[in-house]
Amino acid sequence: MSRQITSLLAIAAVCVTLAPAPAFAQAPKKEPVDCEQVKCIALTFDDGPGQYAGTLLDTLKKYDAKATFFLEGQYVKSRPAYVKRMAAEGHELGNHSYSHPDFTKSEAGTIKSEIQKTQDAVKKAAGVEPKLLRPPYGLADLQVSDIAAEYGMPMILWTAGSQDWSSKNVEAIKKKTLEVAQRDGIILMHDWVKQTVDAMPALIKTLQNKGYHLVTVSDVVKRQNLEPGDIFPVPEGWEK
């Protein structure tokens, strides 16, 4: 091989090495939202993944919004692809039991089984384990708190609800959510309610126009320094 050809090949190799990687190879990581500096709100969706979760995820992606999904293990098992996508697209996954019993009327063994089966189902579907627990119906007592602590999980309730499960009306859901929206609010919604999913494009746009950043629960509660077994927001009359 001539010296000239060898030199040309060497130059070509250097050019290939220095060429920028394709845009799809590794998207740059976005800076995390600092809720001390900007107005944040966390939309949370219980009892899913519901059958409309795919449409909801499309909407969240379109508007670059994040949410927290408190999942029931039985639906994680039947709709694992949605759970995998939730995790892949940067949403937060929480544990909402396996079959939604009232934990305050359940034996300790039942509560542990409900939590563990959901942890296992989410791990199998998405490769991650929930770090937050939302007890069914938002009901907890000291036994539930102690078990949550065993799992290393704080319990997350909500500052206000959209009442979507009751109204099942797009305009009512939008109106109620905007009424109760507040900085660092945690809003209860349900992704099995079709009208909630239908309301989301307009609702997200309105919240963003009001200056809200739609983030995960963990972003909102970061300053609370919650310990395993803690409950937030603290219900009236709760003693620990």
Side-chain angles (χ1 to χ4, degrees):
M1 185 182 292
S2 74
R3 183 177 298 172
Q4 184 181 19
I5 293 174
T6 303
S7 298
L8 288 171
L9 288 173
I11 292 168
V14 170
C15 290
V16 170
T17 302
L18 296 178
F24 56 81
Q26 182 64 55
K29 268 198 163 185
K30 283 184 64 179
E31 288 295 314
V33 175
D34 183 351
C35 294
E36 288 193 63
Q37 303 299 323
V38 300
K39 191 163 69 168
C40 291
I41 193 167
L43 301 184
T44 68
F45 298 90
D46 279 15
D47 304 338
Q51 60 180 309
Y52 312 112
T55 303
L56 175 57
L57 288 169
D58 290 343
T59 300
L60 293 168
K61 186 174 184 178
K62 179 179 179 180
Y63 294 102
D64 194 22
K66 302 304 177 192
T68 300
F69 293 87
F70 286 99
L71 303 167
E72 282 187 43
Q74 60 181 330
Y75 300 121
V76 173
K77 185 176 179 182
S78 60
R79 301 185 181 109
Y82 288 149
V83 181
K84 184 176 182 179
R85 183 180 169 190
M86 289 168 183
E89 294 182 359
H91 303 292
E92 185 164 31
L93 308 182
N95 189 317
H96 193 45
S97 82
Y98 193 86
S99 59
H100 211 271
D102 181 345
F103 278 1
T104 64
K105 297 177 180 176
S106 302
E107 298 292 329
T110 298
I111 299 169
K112 291 179 182 180
S113 174
E114 287 278 328
I115 294 173
Q116 187 62 58
K117 284 167 66 179
T118 300
Q119 294 292 93
D120 293 344
V122 174
K123 181 73 178 290
K124 183 177 180 181
V128 296
E129 286 189 317
K131 293 180 170 53
L132 302 174
L133 175 68
R134 176 171 281 172
Y137 309 103
L139 298 176
D141 54 20
L142 292 179
Q143 174 177 253
V144 179
S145 175
D146 288 343
I147 293 171
E150 286 181 34
Y151 280 89
M153 305 166 88
M155 295 180 287
I156 301 295
L157 302 185
W158 50 88
T159 59
S162 63
Q163 296 182 2
D164 56 349
W165 58 272
S166 175
S167 70
K168 293 186 179 175
N169 177 281
V170 170
E171 291 306 316
I173 292 165
K174 288 192 291 187
K175 183 174 184 289
K176 183 62 179 178
T177 303
L178 293 171
E179 278 178 3
V180 299
Q182 63 183 48
R183 185 167 186 167
D184 295 335
I186 301 172
I187 308 300
L188 172 63
M189 310 183 92
H190 300 83
D191 68 1
W192 56 265
V193 177
K194 183 180 185 298
Q195 293 84 355
T196 295
V197 176
D198 291 343
M200 289 308 295
L203 186 52
I204 290 175
K205 281 192 287 187
T206 303
L207 288 169
Q208 289 177 336
N209 288 339
K210 289 177 176 288
Y212 284 104
H213 292 253
L214 276 68
V215 300
T216 67
V217 164
S218 286
D219 290 322
V220 163
V221 304
K222 192 174 292 182
R223 286 168 288 161
Q224 302 297 328
N225 297 315
L226 298 176
E227 298 289 336
D230 285 352
I231 192 165
F232 183 85
V234 178
E236 187 176 347
W238 174 267
E239 294 180 4
K240 187 163 189 305

